[in-house]
Amino acid sequence: MSEAPRTRLATTLALLAATALVAASTASTEGIAPARADDDAEEVALMLEERCYRCHGPDKQKSGLRFDLIEDLQEVIVPRAAPDSELFRRIALPIGAEDAMPPKGPRVSEDRLLALLRWINAGALFPITEKRGLESTGERTRELELIERVRRESGARVLTLRGGAQEDALLVDFSLADAAPDEAGVRSLDPIAGRIVELSLAGRDVSSAIATKFPSLPALERLHLERTGVDDAALEALVQRAPRLHYLNLHSTRVTGRALEAAAHLGELERLVLHDTGVLQADLIAFRTAHPDVRTSATLALPDKPFEGGGPRRILAADASMKRIALLQETALHHFDVLWEHPLESLHDLQVLENGNVLFQETWTRLVEIDPDSGERVWSYDAAKTNRDPGDGRIEVHSFRRLEDGVTMIAESGSGRIIEVDREGKLQSAVALRIDAPDPHHDTRLVRKTASGTYLVAHEADGVVREYDPGGSIVWSYEVPLFERDRAPGNDFDAFGNQVFCAERLENGNTLVATGNGHSLIEVTPTGEIAWSVTQDELEGIRLAWVTTVQVLDNGNLVLGNCHAGEEQPQLIEITRTKDVVWTFRDFERFANALSNAWVVEDPRTR
Amino acid sequence: MTSANPHFCRRTRRELLWQTANGFGAVALTGLLGPNWLARQAFAADGTSPNPMGARPGGAARRAKAKNVIFLFMYGGPSQVDTFDYKKDLYALDGKTIDVPTFGRQGKRRGGRIVGPKWRFRPYGEAGKWVSDLFPYLGRCVDDIAFLHSMYAESPIHGSALLNMNCGRLISGHPSLGSWVNYGLGSPNENLPGYVVMLDETGGPINGAKNWTSGYMPASLQGVQVRSEGVPILDLEPPQRLRGALQRRFLDHLKSENELHAVARSANPELEARIAQYELAYRMQSAAPEAVELSGESEATRELYGIDQPRTAAFGRKCLLARRLVERGVRFIQLYAGGGHNDDNWDAHGDLVKNHGYHAGRTDRPIAALLTDLKQRGLLEETLVVWGGEFGRQPTAEYAEGTGRDHNSWGFTMWMAGGGVKGGISVGSTDELGAKAVEDRFHVKRLHATILHLLGLDPNGLTFFFNGLEQKLVGVEGAEPIRQVLA
């Protein structure tokens, strides 16, 4: 009993030395290596016998290791990597080191240690392939041979997986192989098919012809088919062979809804990856409903815009006292970068168009549309020279709007009318306004066309908001109240009046009125009742002066223009309907005390 | 060996033994989870020449959640209170002088002028995680992210802090995280390096290659620089006259000469490694260009990563490339966002708004895209993504004027996603000013321990014998993974 294994080992070592001799003789003419390989094997055999067998031999098997058996020795040796080999490492440790071997007696001689090192590094430690001409000596050797053969014939990586319930579970990975699996390669999996728990064909061309050649894979849990040429037929063939799949990755393949039908038969499926496949969204939704336990994922996306409303602001603002209009990007709290700016002389209205262009005025009569990205002037119109008769008096434009149909609405003070002109400047329509106190500078401030097609006009001098239908009839009007307070001249906090600057029609039918030197914002009902208001000192830490513009944001908040309020006050204020201030803008470097108009761009084309 | 000469190349035999033993591979064995690792390795050994990049035939632990790591290194030190560590009371303190001890490049200070957070925060995801407006796209990913708000490092100075974050120590010469990972697990792809580093266009970080060194481990375990544009790996292509069949013949001849040389020196595994390196370089000549070729990626993918936008194109390419490398089995990929000096990286000493706006703006979309793309391909489950710098920044101003903040290694934020990490959680916290980690404080080595653990390695068992010591990435004292973030 005790003789046989030892003989076996000795025979192996001797044959090994012979193999090394043959190998070395082809590469070397020196003749040193064969002799030494022979010697080394002999030295190792002697060392094992003299120093190891006492505890790891036929009589005793400490740690369950018996070094006269090849399979046990293989547990502590990594061929071609002596430093990785536990046998070498431990024997090489200095005496007294915790793991040093042998634990008793002198350290193994350095000559023998070097022999051991060379012998392991020579690589052909044990005859693990048939080529090396030795018979299998045990279960482990047979296992090694098997894995080696599968690896060679299939071209795949074959790894034993640790840590699972199944001790001999295998991973087979074709994804990094030199070529796609062929029929012979797939066939070579047969003897290990029952132990494969993970199979990757990722990135490989897998035709249905090859798929049908796969053996049954009863233990397979994870199947990677992403980036393969797999189609429905190939998938069905594979899935049929692997009923216990937990994980199935199909992204970037040609599979369609039939893949879901195949997946539906997998009772243990937990994860299904379907990005970039032909699976329809509706089919996927149905599958999710029917199989709530399966985590499916299809194509995911990031939103086009980084913020869903309320993000850092892009604003267009102008201040005639600084002779500047500028498009600004908020980069941090109270920090703005200039994206574009342009000089101007006078201004009471501005607009950011759908295409990102800016419509504004350079003078009281000259309107321009500019592409802020290129700086190109794409449209212009001079109200003093166009659509006018000789002898007409002085006019100024205080409001304009590019409308949805592409025409431009222009409100003329002085001539007291609203006109609409086409791209060529040709008059499309004209509506005469009622003006009680005519003045080329004060007939109107802002004019807005409502959803119902009427014009909502802020008549500054009259202190009245009037709504005109397209025929010019007044359909609604509202006289901005003075609240029993005396008018006071000027334009700062102490001024007072009802020089209304703008009116906005709300979806509920009410109208928001920015009262100018009334220092307030009021919401009035169709019957003229004040439903809601913000007065001069109502906002915490803020005092209102000339309230010019009001913009209703998508989130329902309001942005007020607070003009002529001095350097201590913000020029723009965003408030909630409960009058909390959530954002302010104050810039007395680029702009100054006459920032009359601004627009928060909620939908910039780019970030 | 029967020679009587006790000295070999002026080394004693014992020295030779140690050097050879340590020079190649040594003993990572105990580092892997599970018993009988060695025995399993014998199964995996292919009996052919070792893969010099991986050194090991490649272990696989079923328990391991992560197979690959993408480390997004925000060089320079992003400010935690302006990014992910929401301190809502800090805004109101803007400009006020406060007693708060700090330690940066200006040394230790007792207090200073508070610089309030410069960006609004808003809640994202099911977790309602507060993220600043610097990262609106990453905000959409918070349910996949575990935030570590209480990181601390040993040095507030870039050079040593980078070594601390990359190699676990303040001093040079120790292997970097990527080397440890490849040492422990090996690399499954024989045609590509197992450890890839991509630098910022403005240059490498301070210390240069020390940040991806293999230290006392074999040189084959060091990081290989891959460039996202142009020639992917420098000095890889042979001269024109040596290409094709001639190169093959040249290499075959070189190999036979080397083997001849090795016959008499079989105790020198470095030689074997060298032979293998030539072969690897040859294989990489075709594998590397394929890996970095993005033309096969769909328009939607390029858009997702922001490659179509000038601002995000450069980092977007790197992130997309990182995904491609993961698909090709590269174990450890480190991407530097920020390089060179001063405002070329996150080192916002002067104008915080300009600096962080720039660096966040060019990385937010690409990083969110990377997480999204990994997720839709089922790769996020096995790929660990790590984000962070070598330290954070102080809540106070560095100078009398301006918004710049000095370095702060006493408390900063990092995050991890995928690879077995719980999503939608935040662990640890700094004090109310964000100055110092106070609750569940995590030393850098806890991060290292967590990364190794997720890869199936035992951080306290993964050792390399050098200088008479079983060296570990986490140091002789050891470190435990951050269990709160493990899924």
Side-chain angles (χ1 to χ4, degrees), chain B residues 74-83 105-106 113 115 118-119 134 158 337-339 341-360 390-399 401-408:
Chain B
M74 303 294 119
Y75 168 46
S79 163
Q80 61 271 25
V81 298
D82 297 290
T83 52
R105 70 172 186 183
Q106 306 281 359
R113 171 175 59 91
V115 175
K118 289 295 149 202
W119 288 271
L134 282 174
H158 295 294
H341 296 285
N342 303 330
D343 284 329
D344 282 345
N345 57 64
W346 293 80
D347 199 17
H349 290 284
D351 186 340
L352 174 75
V353 167
K354 197 173 158 201
N355 176 294
H356 274 36
Y358 173 77
H359 290 287
E390 66 271 36
F391 42 56
R393 309 202 80 81
Q394 299 176 7
T396 47
E398 181 166 359
Y399 301 111
E401 294 286 321
T403 54
R405 305 182 188 275
D406 199 352
H407 313 157
N408 181 8

Side-chain angles (χ1 to χ4, degrees), chain B residues 153-154 160-172 174-178 180 210-211 443-446 448 472-477:
Chain B
E154 290 169 27
S160 43
L162 271 161
L163 289 179
N164 196 185
M165 186 57 72
N166 280 322
C167 310
R169 312 288 177 91
L170 296 185
I171 51 171
S172 307
H174 292 272
S176 52
L177 178 57
W180 280 101
K210 279 181 191 174
N211 290 303
H443 187 280
V444 168
K445 63 186 173 188
R446 297 290 302 278
H448 291 159
K472 301 175 204 165
L473 173 61
V474 294
V476 286
E477 313 90 342

Side-chain angles (χ1 to χ4, degrees), chain A residues 352-381:
Chain A
V352 179
L353 305 181
E354 289 269 309
N355 62 7
N357 289 356
V358 176
L359 181 65
F360 66 105
Q361 57 189 140
E362 293 180 311
T363 67
W364 287 131
T365 59
R366 193 163 69 244
L367 311 185
V368 292
E369 177 188 342
I370 289 183
D371 176 351
D373 291 339
S374 65
E376 190 193 348
R377 184 179 290 246
V378 298
W379 185 78
S380 65
Y381 179 90

